[in-house]
Amino acid sequence: MTQAGPTGDDLVEMLAALSNPLRLRIVAQLAAGRDYVSHLARVIGISRPLLHMHLRRLEAAGLIAGNLELSDDGKAMKYYQVTDFSLHLTASTLAEAAKTLTTPDPAEGPGR
Amino acid sequence: MTQAGPTGDDLVEMLAALSNPLRLRIVAQLAAGRDYVSHLARVIGISRPLLHMHLRRLEAAGLIAGNLELSDDGKAMKYYQVTDFSLHLTASTLAEAAKTLTTPDPAEGPGR
DNA sequence: ATCACGTGTAAGTGCGCTGTTACAGGTGCA
DNA sequence: TGCACCTGTAACAGCGCACTTACACGTGAT
């Protein structure tokens, strides 16, 4: 095995991105098919600036990916879609990921 | 299948509990064996009040469980241990969980 | 009594997340 | 020219999380 999951920091970022009801809805909606920002905002029922913020977080975590395209009538549309992520969370996989945390480890001792 | 994972709300709570470096360390440490609060705080290197807060969140999410015991010398010790959780996160499992979210769904329409 | 160990909680601070409103720019069409 | 779409970002308010310091209470040993 050794499966090499994400690093501890990346995992924390992914979990933080998913630990929000709205972002969970966004991922769920995109799982049904790619969509562009304005339409997605209408479907979910939130403002575009707000959706924009959440999309940034999800994309930064590597859970979704967006690319700008030009529609037939020349409009710039940004389409987002989910990436092929798969996380298995158990006590042991988390313990494995925790080894690669770069965040301040208080137990490391404050350097001297 | 149908595997019946946690509800959307529970899932969000679990992910929120795990999306923190310190709490990830706590789970990792407990995965190596049960421990009591004061000792755990010393091992990880944080204050007891802070650890106490994080333990509350982890326990509320159902990821760890604690029970008070009396040591041989009569001291009250609270031992914590990880529960047997197992979460598989993919776009489709998340979409499934999102269906059971009770948090305000803006798209539902404001009731009238 | 005082110390060393365990438990828990209340109060205060700093900061980041969430969400709003407002603005600025682009295209195609009447 | 004005409207209807699309995109993005800046500015601001509210709130909860993370963390510290301080306190209160219990035991057994010196």
Side-chain angles (χ1 to χ4, degrees), chain B residues 36 38 42 48-49 52 75-76 78:
Chain B
Y36 63 96
S38 288
R42 261 175 271 134
R48 268 177 297 110
H52 191 260
K75 283 179 181 133
K78 187 150 192 183

Side-chain angles (χ1 to χ4, degrees), chain B residues 35-48 51:
Chain B
D35 201 355
Y36 63 96
V37 184
S38 288
H39 183 250
L40 189 55
R42 261 175 271 134
V43 169
I44 299 186
I46 62 178
S47 66
R48 268 177 297 110
L51 176 60

Side-chain angles (χ1 to χ4, degrees), chain A residues 69-77 79:
Chain A
E69 301 180 10
L70 286 179
S71 66
D72 293 345
D73 57 344
K75 283 178 181 135
M77 323 272 283
Y79 277 87

Side-chain angles (χ1 to χ4, degrees), chain B residues 2 5 19 27 31 35 37 42 48 51 58-59 66 76 81 90 94-95 103:
Chain B
T2 309
S19 66
V27 171
D35 201 355
V37 184
R42 261 175 271 134
R48 268 177 297 110
L51 176 60
L58 286 170
E59 187 171 27
Q81 57 191 328
T90 64
L94 292 177
T103 42

Side-chain angles (χ1 to χ4, degrees), chain A residues 36-38 42 48 52 75-76 78:
Chain A
Y36 62 95
V37 183
S38 287
R42 262 175 271 134
R48 267 177 301 112
H52 191 260
K75 283 178 181 135
K78 187 150 193 183

Side-chain angles (χ1 to χ4, degrees), chain A residues 75-98:
Chain A
K75 283 178 181 135
M77 323 272 283
K78 187 150 193 183
Y79 277 87
Y80 278 95
Q81 57 191 323
V82 292
T83 60
D84 277 357
F85 62 89
S86 176
L87 296 177
H88 195 200
L89 303 183
T90 65
S92 45
T93 62
L94 291 178
E96 193 64 26

